[in-house]
Amino acid sequence: MGLTKQYLRYVASAVFGVIGSQKANISYVTLRGGERGRYVAVAACEHVFIWDVRKGEKVLILQGQKHEVTFICPSPDGVHVAVGYEDGAVRIFSLLNGETNVSFNGHKSAVSIIQYDALGARLVTGSKDTDVIVWDVINESGLYRLKGHKDVITQALFLKDKNLLVTCSKDSFVKWWDLDTQHCFKTLVGHRSEVWGMALLNRENRLLTGSADSELRAWDIRYLEEEKAEGEPRVKKGKTLLDEDEDEGKQEEEDESLDERILSCKKAGSILREARDRVVSLTTDAKNRIIACHGNDSVLELFTVLSEEEVQKKMTKKLKKAKKKAAKSQEETGEEAAEPVVEKMLKDEIIRLINIKASAKIRWVDCLSCASGELKVALLLQNNTVETYSLKTSDKTPTANKTARLTLGGHRTDVRTLAFSSDNLAVLSASGDTVKVWNRSTLQVIRTMACEYALCSLFVPGDRQIILGTKSGKLQIFELASGSLLETVDAHDGALWSLCLAPDQRGIVSGSADKTVKFWDFELIKDKESGQKRLTVKHTRTLQLEEDVLCVKFSPDHRLVAVSLLDCTVKVFYTDTLKFFLSLYGHKLPVLCLDISHDSALIATGSADRNVKIWGLDFGDCHRSMFAHDDSVMFLQFVPKTHLFFTAGKDKKIKQWDADKFEHIQTLEGHHREVWCLAISPNGDHIVSSSHDKSLRLWERTREPIILEEEREMEREAEFEESMAKGDVPVVPGETQGEAAPAGKKTMETVKAAERIMEALEIYKAEARKMEEHKYACEHAGKELPPPKPNPILVAFNVTPSRYVLDVIKKVRSSELEVSLLVLPFPYVPELLQLFSSYIQQGLEVELVCRCLFFLLKIHFGQISSNQMLLSVIDELRTNTLSKITEIRVRNVWKKS
């Protein structure tokens, strides 16, 4: 079947204009052994940008896939960084080359916290799904899932010397977990509202928590010695060694008293913050000497934790002062006073260091202590800015100096208008305070100019000047060569919503909320100051209307002008006489955008009612109404010289349509918030779009044709994969639904991995059957017959059937292995156990085989132990496994020595 009409695919090219996304934190990283405190990692939608704050340059991009980044955590060795995503995935990137080899899938929703342990061997993640998962980074697998919290996990911390974990959540609880038993042994209930942050201080003998009020609560932790009295169950590292035949009641009593055997946690007092609202983020430096916290404002509060020697010195000074005061009062009264006693209070141990006032509201903070006593602070602000400060903590009155401010690469507020230059090389973007011109190929800013709140824009023919329409109704004309504002024209009394260049390129038309459409001609006048000629606009005609004007467009043949009004209609007038020609009505809500095709035959309108309508301009007849987006259609534009057009919606999507066949061609997904506007280059090869997520995205046309049936099939597959990810957690037979659960999650990858293992086992069975049949045929014929042809896959890989099964298992990601085996139906398990026995005998991948073997025995224990056929296999496995593992251990010890 031949292609009747060829559509070419548009693909994502680059993300720019975003300095740091608000959803994820900021973190100091070290790059290739470089200077500490020079590089910061921030999220940029689905990517992670590493910025050199000294140069203000982007030095590395850690490429994401589709979902937004929600948390960043560098490893203790500084070589890797763990990144959490909106869909619950965690990926570990190498900072040496920016590539990722390890990924974990366990959470159902966004990752809210990631922390490494002191060695960097384990990773704890918390999520919006209220679960805490501990991962083994070295083995690339999930250890266990800890359940108990009822709301979003806000912090999780490993204790360095003990195998304990402490977590806090928006459910107002702080929980202590014993990782030996995967058991919550203590819950702190002293908070009345959400716990937003937490830090361990004083060699992990104090816990500091930040809540929804102005208090930072401090808790003293005492680690208690294990009781070894006779008659009581022994406790080893917090793990109760009870006899198997003891009843459940005794177990519960043991659990209640267990927390008193590990640690006790009592409130020590609280520190008052200056801010009155909730703690937005609370963090400490690596040595836990500096505490940084802030609320929902622009003030960062820094506290310092004094060492024991400093506290003792302070108390001695206080006691001396108290003694002096007592002696003075004794002289005055003549009575003998009691010996003064000075109590150690929390404010003597944690003192306020300094407050730092940022240029805007703070969203995240990270701090870094350097060897020279210098403290570096990095702030991610809510207006797409990164600021860094430095101060000397040893000074009596430390002052914070601003060392860097990253602002050039993005706008402070949302970009509401975009335009392409006529040569396709420059892109204009304008927001609430600035207008920027970008080089499309390098994505570098060429010009940044201060402006009023811009709503619409265009390049003047020749690309030397730009014109902006503002919210206050003004027209602002800028010259690009000097980056200066040439003139501000008071054009309208209301917001100037739309500008359109005349097809003869001699003027423009503007539409405003003051119910007028005004026509302007370009003119060159002599500047009074410089004496040079400069561009201006001259008002020639006004079209008065009954409703606010939302959008205005010339037809390319200059015959008509189309105006969309607040009364949900589109009125079409003759350009020369301004006489009424057509009224296009049918939308239920106002038309926010419209465009006319290059041949002036079609007009497409996009509305807040989520529909796009295609009309003929000859008679005003509606050709087709299409449900386009799940929210308001914000922008619409035809691809030059075609009847294809793009729409942008508040549903985060950009869609391409065919106005002749009324077909949806493709969807461009990438933005994470509402898409406000887009611009198509004059040659149609590039699209740039802007969104509420502060990012600008460049899309480019490829030579790859789109087959619509395949496109719909791919969309259905993507929907199926998404629904599978949201499905139920696979149940492990024999597992009780307690506090601990398996860490993995059923995904499309785990299902595919299980299918590959099943296919490999089917090939193995088929080959074994073939060999048996061949043997029988040889015996029956009484002579050697030619061997049967092996499976083409085995020929391609040049392996035996049993080795092929092992190779398939080896290719399964370590983090997905358990869940893939869990999905595997039981009829395949006996065959697999027999293969495992032969692998262990041959010494092939013993560690991997043992891991699979123990997991299968655990989840299918009942069926395996009741199957008489498998008893000999299990017995053989038992002897082989023990002897082989002992042999490997001895060999390793010998190698080390």
Side-chain angles (χ1 to χ4, degrees), residues 366-657:
D366 193 27
C367 50
L368 181 74
S369 289
C370 299
S372 57
E374 183 189 16
L375 178 72
K376 292 183 176 180
V377 178
L379 302 176
L380 175 60
L381 308 182
Q382 288 186 15
N383 66 349
N384 197 26
T385 307
V386 169
E387 288 184 350
T388 59
Y389 294 82
S390 92
L391 61 141
K392 288 274 187 189
T393 52
S394 52
D395 294 354
K396 277 192 174 179
T397 53
T399 54
N401 303 311
K402 191 186 287 188
T403 51
R405 188 164 185 254
L406 303 179
T407 58
L408 190 65
H411 290 271
R412 307 286 72 72
T413 54
D414 291 1
V415 171
R416 299 309 293 251
T417 175
L418 292 163
F420 260 103
S421 62
S422 60
D423 59 3
N424 310 292
L425 294 177
V427 178
L428 177 155
S429 65
S431 66
D433 55 356
T434 53
V435 55
K436 288 177 184 283
V437 179
W438 308 76
N439 181 325
R440 180 191 53 76
S441 53
T442 63
L443 302 178
Q444 296 298 313
V445 181
I446 304 165
R447 287 280 179 272
T448 300
M449 298 160 280
C451 68
E452 292 187 27
Y453 198 118
L455 296 174
C456 50
S457 62
L458 53 83
F459 276 92
V460 175
D463 298 335
R464 293 182 181 180
Q465 296 89 9
I466 57 170
I467 298 179
L468 300 183
T470 69
K471 202 173 183 179
S472 57
K474 294 182 175 66
L475 282 172
Q476 292 192 310
I477 305 170
F478 291 88
E479 187 175 49
L480 291 184
S482 60
S484 59
L485 175 65
L486 293 179
E487 188 181 2
T488 301
V489 180
D490 291 322
H492 292 272
D493 297 328
L496 205 160
W497 287 112
S498 184
L499 280 176
C500 182
L501 185 66
D504 62 4
Q505 302 196 337
R506 292 181 179 177
I508 57 171
V509 62
S510 62
S512 165
D514 65 0
K515 303 177 184 177
T516 61
V517 171
K518 292 187 178 180
F519 295 80
W520 310 79
D521 282 349
F522 294 132
E523 267 194 354
L524 286 172
I525 60 165
K526 208 173 221 185
D527 191 35
K528 290 174 184 175
E529 292 176 12
S530 63
Q532 300 281 327
K533 282 194 172 182
R534 67 168 177 83
L535 183 83
T536 186
V537 287
K538 181 187 173 188
H539 178 218
T540 55
R541 295 182 295 168
T542 302
L543 174 62
Q544 186 68 45
L545 294 150
E546 294 169 6
E547 292 285 344
D548 291 15
V549 176
L550 297 177
C551 191
V552 60
K553 275 281 188 299
F554 277 116
S555 63
D557 61 7
H558 209 174
R559 192 170 71 91
L560 303 170
V561 61
V563 183
S564 79
L565 304 174
L566 202 59
D567 63 1
C568 312
T569 63
V570 175
K571 300 274 196 292
V572 184
F573 299 89
Y574 290 104
T575 309
D576 49 3
T577 60
L578 297 186
K579 279 186 178 176
F580 174 75
F581 173 50
L582 290 171
S583 178
L584 312 177
Y585 55 89
H587 283 291
K588 295 180 180 69
L589 289 170
V591 174
L592 303 176
C593 49
L594 61 89
D595 199 14
I596 299 171
S597 63
H598 70 286
D599 54 6
S600 304
L602 299 174
I603 178 169
T605 57
S607 164
D609 65 8
R610 305 179 289 178
N611 290 311
V612 166
K613 290 181 189 287
I614 298 163
W615 318 74
L617 260 183
D618 295 334
F619 308 105
D621 54 321
C622 182
H623 290 185
R624 186 63 63 95
S625 180
M626 299 181 290
F627 182 76
H629 290 270
D630 295 330
D631 209 330
S632 303
V633 182
M634 297 303 294
F635 205 85
L636 185 151
Q637 191 177 344
F638 274 97
V639 178
K641 299 184 177 65
T642 69
H643 277 188
L644 309 179
F645 65 92
F646 280 90
T647 59
K650 275 190 177 180
D651 61 353
K652 314 172 193 175
K653 293 184 178 76
I654 297 165
K655 294 185 180 182
Q656 188 185 13
W657 307 84

Side-chain angles (χ1 to χ4, degrees), residues 116-136:
Y116 277 94
D117 68 356
L119 297 171
R122 288 179 303 174
L123 192 70
V124 62
T125 59
S127 165
K128 281 186 178 177
D129 64 8
T130 75
D131 289 349
V132 176
I133 301 180
V134 181
W135 306 91
D136 183 338

Side-chain angles (χ1 to χ4, degrees), residues 585-852:
Y585 55 89
H587 283 291
K588 295 180 180 69
L589 289 170
V591 174
L592 303 176
C593 49
L594 61 89
D595 199 14
I596 299 171
S597 63
H598 70 286
D599 54 6
S600 304
L602 299 174
I603 178 169
T605 57
S607 164
D609 65 8
R610 305 179 289 178
N611 290 311
V612 166
K613 290 181 189 287
I614 298 163
W615 318 74
L617 260 183
D618 295 334
F619 308 105
D621 54 321
C622 182
H623 290 185
R624 186 63 63 95
S625 180
M626 299 181 290
F627 182 76
H629 290 270
D630 295 330
D631 209 330
S632 303
V633 182
M634 297 303 294
F635 205 85
L636 185 151
Q637 191 177 344
F638 274 97
V639 178
K641 299 184 177 65
T642 69
H643 277 188
L644 309 179
F645 65 92
F646 280 90
T647 59
K650 275 190 177 180
D651 61 353
K652 314 172 193 175
K653 293 184 178 76
I654 297 165
K655 294 185 180 182
Q656 188 185 13
W657 307 84
D658 185 339
D660 291 331
K661 293 192 168 184
F662 318 118
E663 281 186 313
H664 171 218
I665 300 165
Q666 73 171 124
T667 302
L668 304 179
E669 291 190 52
H671 284 294
H672 302 285
R673 298 285 180 281
E674 301 94 324
V675 183
W676 296 130
C677 60
L678 59 85
I680 302 173
S681 63
N683 62 7
D685 282 346
H686 296 91
I687 301 170
V688 66
S689 57
S690 80
S691 165
H692 185 46
D693 61 15
K694 298 280 196 302
S695 72
L696 300 173
R697 284 175 188 265
L698 187 67
W699 314 81
E700 60 183 36
R701 186 160 59 187
T702 62
R703 301 292 102 197
E704 180 196 345
I706 291 177
I707 313 298
L708 294 182
E709 289 79 10
E710 284 181 14
E711 200 68 15
R712 298 296 88 82
E713 185 63 34
M714 282 161 64
E715 283 174 16
R716 283 193 290 273
E717 275 180 24
E719 275 178 32
F720 174 69
E721 286 184 25
E722 211 166 292
S723 65
M724 180 165 281
K726 289 175 182 171
D728 295 330
V729 179
V731 177
V732 180
E735 286 272 339
T736 54
Q737 292 299 311
E739 288 176 332
K745 180 181 82 168
K746 184 181 172 184
T747 62
M748 203 64 202
E749 282 73 28
T750 59
V751 173
K752 283 177 182 172
E755 283 173 358
R756 283 196 295 272
I757 295 169
M758 285 190 275
E759 280 171 19
L761 284 166
E762 289 291 352
I763 290 170
Y764 171 75
K765 283 181 190 173
E767 290 300 308
R769 208 179 301 119
K770 268 189 207 172
M771 293 312 294
E772 277 180 21
E773 287 169 1
H774 175 68
K775 191 178 175 183
Y776 175 75
C778 289
E779 284 174 5
H780 191 71
K783 61 175 181 177
E784 192 66 35
L785 297 171
K789 283 186 180 179
N791 190 295
I793 294 173
L794 302 177
V795 175
F797 286 106
N798 193 23
V799 287
T800 60
S802 62
R803 185 70 205 211
Y804 177 65
V805 175
L806 182 60
D807 288 347
V808 168
I809 294 170
K810 266 171 70 179
K811 284 174 187 171
V812 179
R813 271 188 185 163
S814 182
S815 57
E816 293 168 355
L817 186 61
E818 274 86 359
V819 185
S820 300
L821 293 171
L822 189 57
V823 175
L824 201 69
F826 181 73
Y828 289 95
V829 173
E831 205 79 42
L832 209 50
L833 292 177
Q834 287 171 3
L835 282 169
F836 286 168
S837 183
S838 68
Y839 297 150
I840 290 168
Q841 274 178 336
Q842 295 167 49
L844 297 171
E845 301 291 339
V846 176
E847 192 180 335
L848 174 68
V849 170
C850 285
R851 185 178 158 195
C852 297

Side-chain angles (χ1 to χ4, degrees), residues 58-319:
K58 205 184 298 169
V59 290
L60 185 64
I61 299 175
L62 308 180
Q63 295 282 348
Q65 289 170 337
K66 180 182 171 185
H67 297 277
E68 214 171 351
V69 174
T70 54
F71 205 86
I72 300 165
C73 179
S75 62
D77 61 6
V79 177
H80 298 93
V81 62
V83 181
Y85 293 89
E86 184 76 43
D87 64 338
V90 177
R91 297 168 76 200
I92 297 175
F93 290 86
S94 166
L95 288 173
L96 302 174
N97 53 19
E99 290 177 4
T100 176
N101 297 319
V102 184
S103 64
F104 299 127
N105 269 304
H107 293 291
K108 284 185 179 177
S109 52
V111 175
S112 56
I113 185 71
I114 302 175
Q115 283 294 336
Y116 277 94
D117 68 356
L119 297 171
R122 288 179 303 174
L123 192 70
V124 62
T125 59
S127 165
K128 281 186 178 177
D129 64 8
T130 75
D131 289 349
V132 176
I133 301 180
V134 181
W135 306 91
D136 183 338
V137 177
I138 296 164
N139 198 29
E140 299 178 17
S141 63
L143 294 175
Y144 33 79
R145 181 190 302 266
L146 303 172
K147 297 181 172 190
H149 283 292
K150 299 284 185 287
D151 211 331
V152 181
I153 311 297
T154 52
Q155 184 61 283
L157 300 167
F158 283 106
L159 274 73
K160 280 176 188 166
D161 303 325
K162 299 165 183 65
N163 199 18
L164 303 176
L165 178 76
V166 57
T167 61
C168 65
S169 163
K170 278 171 70 177
D171 63 5
S172 81
F173 299 134
V174 175
K175 286 182 179 283
W176 293 85
W177 305 84
D178 180 358
L179 297 182
D180 286 326
T181 57
Q182 296 110 52
H183 166 71
C184 173
F185 64 85
K186 191 172 187 66
T187 302
L188 280 184
V189 291
H191 301 89
R192 293 178 182 176
S193 54
E194 301 98 330
V195 183
W196 289 100
M198 179 173 68
L200 286 163
L201 313 170
N202 296 7
R203 294 178 189 164
E204 299 181 345
N205 288 321
R206 174 160 290 154
L207 182 72
L208 195 71
T209 57
S211 188
D213 50 24
S214 57
E215 281 184 47
L216 293 178
R217 291 169 178 79
W219 309 79
D220 276 339
I221 305 164
R222 274 197 319 117
Y223 301 100
L224 306 170
E225 291 294 317
E226 297 167 0
E227 291 182 20
K228 291 182 181 177
E230 284 185 19
E232 289 191 9
R234 290 177 290 115
V235 175
K236 185 178 180 183
K237 285 190 181 175
K239 186 171 182 176
T240 313
L241 306 175
L242 289 167
D243 293 330
E244 285 180 14
D245 57 346
E246 285 187 357
D247 62 348
E248 286 181 14
K250 200 164 183 184
Q251 173 74 58
E252 283 173 18
E253 284 174 30
E254 184 62 35
D255 288 347
E256 283 172 22
S257 61
L258 194 58
D259 64 318
E260 294 306 322
R261 297 231 170 107
I262 298 173
L263 58 83
S264 69
C265 198
K266 291 186 172 62
K267 192 171 178 185
S270 58
I271 307 162
L272 278 174
R273 294 161 50 235
E274 284 186 2
R276 290 279 166 264
D277 56 350
R278 76 170 179 91
V279 170
V280 171
S281 74
L282 170 72
T283 187
T284 62
D285 65 337
K287 295 174 184 171
N288 299 330
R289 289 293 307 274
I290 303 292
I291 305 161
C293 71
H294 64 89
N296 204 9
D297 54 15
S298 59
V299 178
L300 176 74
E301 297 179 57
L302 291 174
F303 300 88
T304 184
V305 182
L306 299 180
S307 62
E308 286 176 24
E309 295 80 21
E310 289 170 323
V311 172
Q312 204 56 49
K313 210 180 280 181
K314 195 173 182 183
M315 297 314 293
T316 311
K317 206 180 279 182
K318 248 188 176 183
L319 187 63

